[in-house]
Amino acid sequence: MKVVSIAILRSESAADPIPLCMACDLSSYGFFQRQGVKEMLTFFSKTFTKRTEPGQRQSIAHESYVVHCYVRSDGLAGSVTTDAEYPARVAFVLLTQILDEFVTTSGDSWKSMPTSLDSTVFPPMEDYLVKYQDPASADKVTKIQNDLDETTQILHKTIDSVLERGVKLDSLVEKSDDLSRQSKMFYKQAKKTNSCCVIS
């Protein structure tokens, strides 16, 4: 599970969305491929954001990647590109948090920010990119779900071992019943044998 890129855009009704800032993790690509991949990610962010209505969220799958888009009703938009395994709910939590922090930091100035990706600096974006690489550690609900799954697996193993022990206990009980019968017979035999030889 991996977050490849996060982009914040200004969505305008008639025109193409304008990327304000972007952070990418291109470490899994070769050095000479990185610029092409970054351009492709920017294109995906702009294209899919344009096709997302204000106030809506959507996820678009392309090959082994999924682009999660969210356009706020005020026109601020965000996109997160992840691999196919990454949970959509966590991606949208990331988008909501980063857009809220962006508005808190910049106020309404984002509506008139320059259109160059390099001119807008938003340092927390890199932090979010690192933090959300592991969805379980970044999102409390996912972490709780993973803990529950792990606990369920442990319980199943415990139940299986108890059932195995139960089978073993059943055979022990049968053996003890046999021993009990044999010991009663031995006691009776010993009593008979000892009754003939009474020492006074």
Side-chain angles (χ1 to χ4, degrees):
M1 290 186 265
K2 181 176 180 168
V3 176
V4 181
S5 74
I6 305 170
I8 297 176
L9 306 95
R10 182 171 62 229
S11 180
E12 298 171 350
S13 58
D16 282 345
I18 299 166
L20 299 175
C21 52
M22 186 173 195
C24 301
D25 178 7
L26 304 175
S27 59
S28 59
Y29 298 98
F31 179 77
F32 295 108
Q33 296 174 320
R34 291 180 183 173
Q35 186 60 36
V37 171
K38 188 173 183 179
E39 289 171 4
M40 180 196 69
L41 292 169
T42 304
F43 173 75
F44 284 162
S45 294
K46 288 170 62 175
T47 303
F48 297 143
T49 300
K50 185 176 183 177
R51 288 166 173 73
T52 305
E53 295 295 320
Q56 288 187 339
R57 304 167 193 258
Q58 68 176 343
S59 299
I60 299 98
H62 176 71
E63 294 178 1
S64 61
Y65 296 99
V66 179
V67 180
H68 307 277
C69 297
Y70 172 43
V71 179
R72 292 170 28 139
S73 56
D74 60 2
L76 186 64
S79 73
V80 174
T81 304
T82 64
D83 61 8
E85 297 173 0
Y86 201 87
R89 195 187 67 70
V90 178
F92 287 120
V93 167
L94 163 60
L95 278 173
T96 303
Q97 286 181 356
I98 201 164
L99 291 177
D100 288 345
E101 187 170 343
F102 186 75
V103 168
T104 304
T105 304
S106 65
D108 279 345
S109 67
W110 63 268
K111 294 178 180 177
S112 60
M113 281 183 173
T115 59
S116 170
L117 272 175
D118 300 328
S119 62
T120 306
V121 178
F122 185 56
M125 204 164 206
E126 293 291 336
D127 298 336
Y128 277 103
L129 187 63
V130 171
K131 177 183 174 185
Y132 276 85
Q133 289 301 330
D134 180 16
S137 66
D139 182 49
K140 293 176 184 171
V141 174
T142 304
K143 182 175 180 359
I144 290 169
Q145 184 62 49
N146 289 346
D147 291 345
L148 285 173
D149 292 344
E150 187 177 307
T151 304
T152 304
Q153 288 176 346
I154 291 170
L155 283 174
H156 284 298
K157 287 179 185 175
T158 305
I159 289 170
D160 289 342
S161 63
V162 165
L163 290 175
E164 283 178 20
R165 264 189 255 142
V167 171
K168 292 176 185 174
L169 286 175
D170 287 345
S171 67
L172 285 175
V173 167
E174 286 176 19
K175 289 178 183 175
S176 70
D177 286 344
D178 290 342
L179 285 175
S180 177
R181 278 187 238 116
Q182 288 178 356
S183 64
K184 285 179 186 174
M185 284 178 45
F186 176 77
Y187 177 73
K188 287 179 184 177
Q189 289 283 343
K191 198 170 181 181
K192 282 183 187 177
T193 307
N194 288 339
S195 65
C196 71
C197 310
V198 177
I199 301 176
S200 2

